[in-house]
Amino acid sequence: MERKKSLDAFNNMPVPQAVMKNVIPAMVAMLMVLIYNLADTFFIGQTHNAYQIAAVSLATPVFLMFMAVGTIFGIGGTSVISRAVGEGKAEYAKKVCAFCMWACILVGIVMSVLLLIGMDSILLLIGASEDTWEYAGSYLTIVSCSGVFVLISNCYSNILRAEGQATRAMVGQVIGNLLNVILDPIMILGFDWNITGAAIATVIGNITAATYYIAYFLRGKSSLSIRIRDFSVKNKICSNVLAIGIPASLASVLMSISQMIMNGLMAGYGDMAIAGIGVAMKVTMITGMVAMGIGQGIQPLLGYCVGAKTWERYRKIMRFSMWFAFLLSLAMTVFCYIFTNQIVSVFLTEESAFDYAVQFARILLSTSPLFGVFYVLTNALQAMGAAVSSLIINLSRQGLIYIPSLFILKAVLNATGLVWAQPVADILSIGLAAGLYVITFRKTSQKA
């Protein structure tokens, strides 16, 4: 009965109610990710050591690689599972879920080992200076120990939504991130462990979140499975997951790579500039994370409609979601722009780093009202199984458009040029996403 009730939003619930039922838990979960990110920076900022903030800014894109790989199996698995559920293929959906679990375990172990072995080379690559080398190395060495758990928590916070369990998906993320936030002041300031304490809190939070999701499946309350006996790569399970998951995760992978490149270029303007851009990105994350939650929340709804071929309901969900995402992103951007100084002052007290952060944040906020529209479009493409279109968009936004823009605009505008590269990439990518969505929707609905 509980499993049947959980799919009611996919079938019968009024569209606004169905969207909110899935979107609100996803937004809350992403806000907790945001709070965790802000808490790390905030409590490290209370040490009044800008070099530690700079070190976190340098280390973050490396750690995000783990989250990005978890997204491969999370977004890819969600797309395949939601369409399979819509088509009535329950056994296939179960095998996809089990494949994602064991793939996360294997890949997580390999990534952790590679990070530890190549630590010095990675620190050199991300632009760590003599003043930030030890801090960044300490942080990355510790968080690498939770690699498997980071992949699992990021994967299953998505997959649970594919069977209508949006609230449970949210709870796992909230538990892990809330524990991290609670432990941050204790370990960073109370124990005087500084950036090492932040890393330990991150490890404990991710282990807790992953344990919650594993326990949910082992209790037998899910129609899906993570048991080894259900693991399979037959019937294109692996290729179907990766076909959607890799393009989806490329946004995060390329974001990490491009941020490393940007940090390396920004290093030429000093560690305070790196600290400033790190905090500026936290400011725009307030809108970005909420918008990402909207996209993640509607993807299972749209995927189910594609599988069940209920195109009129699909259109209604898209129409409502686009307006809701735009208006909420606009409101969040206005709030962040008005209170930029106050938000930045929470993290930085060093004058030059503060000035950099305020200037950079206001540049990045110029396109954040469009974040919601972008994430709705990209998640809709993933819901339709449009692997090529997803690949093109994600290669473009953080790679083919953004990275060349870094070098071109730096040559023209110096440090501010590096920051303007992101708004330029945002505008061009949203136009590309809209065009590809229209083409893909027409082809998919006509074929059906």
Side-chain angles (χ1 to χ4, degrees):
M1 177 64 73
E2 181 182 350
R3 293 172 185 172
K4 186 176 179 181
K5 186 178 178 182
S6 68
L7 292 176
D8 185 55
F10 292 173
N11 291 304
N12 306 312
M13 194 176 288
V15 166
Q17 186 180 348
V19 170
M20 291 302 178
K21 183 178 184 293
N22 280 268
V23 161
I24 290 175
M27 286 195 300
V28 171
M30 295 311 294
L31 281 173
M32 282 307 305
V33 174
L34 171 65
I35 290 169
Y36 140 67
N37 274 279
L38 295 179
D40 265 9
T41 306
F42 171 75
F43 288 113
I44 291 172
Q46 300 312 297
T47 65
H48 302 293
N49 185 337
Y51 290 113
Q52 291 194 50
I53 295 178
V56 172
S57 299
L58 291 169
T60 296
V62 180
F63 178 64
L64 287 177
M65 294 292 285
F66 285 95
M67 299 176 68
V69 175
T71 301
I72 292 177
F73 303 107
I75 298 295
T78 298
S79 177
V80 177
I81 291 169
S82 60
R83 281 180 282 134
V85 172
E87 294 169 4
K89 299 178 180 178
E91 193 62 29
Y92 187 77
K94 183 184 291 187
K95 290 182 181 298
V96 172
C97 184
F99 165 78
C100 291
M101 169 59 71
W102 294 96
C104 282
I105 292 172
L106 176 62
V107 175
I109 292 172
V110 172
M111 288 183 67
S112 293
V113 171
L114 291 176
L115 177 58
L116 291 171
I117 292 174
M119 182 64 68
D120 286 346
S121 299
I122 291 170
L123 291 173
L124 189 64
L125 178 66
I126 63 178
S129 67
E130 184 180 345
D131 293 310
T132 58
W133 187 282
E134 185 177 347
Y135 293 132
S138 173
Y139 186 87
L140 288 174
T141 298
I142 294 170
V143 297
S144 66
C145 298
S146 64
V148 168
F149 301 100
V150 175
L151 264 67
I152 291 173
S153 62
N154 277 275
C155 175
Y156 286 90
S157 63
N158 286 288
I159 283 181
L160 262 66
R161 298 188 188 104
E163 61 170 344
Q165 294 289 349
T167 301
R168 290 185 187 274
M170 173 195 72
V171 169
Q173 283 189 291
V174 169
I175 289 173
N177 288 310
L178 185 60
L179 181 60
N180 193 329
V181 171
I182 292 170
L183 291 175
D184 266 345
I186 296 172
M187 294 188 170
I188 295 171
L189 303 175
F191 294 165
D192 198 27
W193 289 350
N194 298 319
I195 198 170
T196 300
I200 295 172
T202 297
V203 170
I204 294 173
N206 278 288
I207 291 174
T208 304
T211 301
Y212 170 84
Y213 293 125
I214 292 171
Y216 164 69
F217 285 106
L218 294 182
R219 285 198 303 268
K221 293 187 177 182
S222 174
S223 59
L224 304 175
S225 171
I226 60 169
R227 298 183 186 278
I228 188 68
R229 67 168 178 258
D230 292 313
F231 173 86
S232 176
V233 295
K234 296 179 180 178
N235 299 319
K236 297 184 178 180
I237 287 176
C238 179
S239 60
N240 286 342
V241 170
L242 297 182
I244 296 300
I246 290 176
S249 71
L250 273 176
S252 299
V253 172
L254 287 172
M255 187 182 297
S256 297
I257 294 171
S258 61
Q259 193 173 336
M260 291 179 205
I261 294 171
M262 193 270 292
N263 283 339
L265 295 172
M266 190 68 78
Y269 301 96
D271 288 324
M272 295 306 99
I274 293 176
I277 190 61
V279 170
M281 287 180 172
K282 303 290 185 187
V283 176
T284 53
M285 277 177 66
I286 296 173
T287 302
M289 286 295 189
V290 171
M292 197 178 297
I294 297 172
Q296 290 180 357
I298 66 163
Q299 185 189 328
L301 290 174
L302 296 174
Y304 184 90
C305 290
V306 173
K309 298 179 175 60
T310 51
W311 293 106
E312 185 59 31
R313 184 172 176 82
Y314 177 99
R315 291 186 185 93
K316 290 178 180 178
I317 291 171
M318 274 298 292
R319 191 180 304 118
F320 179 85
S321 300
M322 288 283 277
W323 277 108
F324 175 70
F326 172 70
L327 293 174
L328 185 57
S329 295
L330 179 61
M332 297 293 290
T333 300
V334 171
F335 171 82
C336 291
Y337 196 90
I338 292 172
F339 295 103
T340 301
N341 284 43
Q342 290 84 347
I343 296 170
V344 170
S345 66
V346 171
F347 305 104
L348 290 169
T349 55
E350 205 283 331
E351 186 176 352
S352 61
F354 177 89
D355 291 340
Y356 274 126
V358 171
Q359 180 188 12
F360 293 165
R362 287 186 169 150
I363 293 172
L364 293 174
L365 286 169
S366 62
T367 50
S368 61
L370 301 175
F371 284 174
V373 172
F374 177 79
Y375 283 112
V376 168
L377 289 171
T378 53
N379 279 272
L381 286 167
Q382 292 159 14
M384 289 187 286
V388 175
S389 295
S390 296
L391 178 64
I392 292 171
I393 292 170
N394 290 316
L395 278 176
S396 299
R397 185 180 183 226
Q398 295 297 333
L400 299 177
I401 297 175
Y402 180 58
I403 293 175
S405 297
L406 284 171
F407 291 94
I408 294 169
L409 293 175
K410 176 182 180 291
V412 177
L413 299 172
N414 297 317
T416 55
L418 291 173
V419 187
W420 274 112
Q422 188 62 68
V424 168
D426 288 341
I427 292 172
L428 295 176
S429 299
I430 289 168
L432 178 63
L436 288 173
Y437 171 79
V438 171
I439 294 169
T440 303
F441 177 74
R442 286 176 179 171
K443 286 183 178 179
T444 305
S445 57
Q446 288 172 2
K447 186 186 296 184

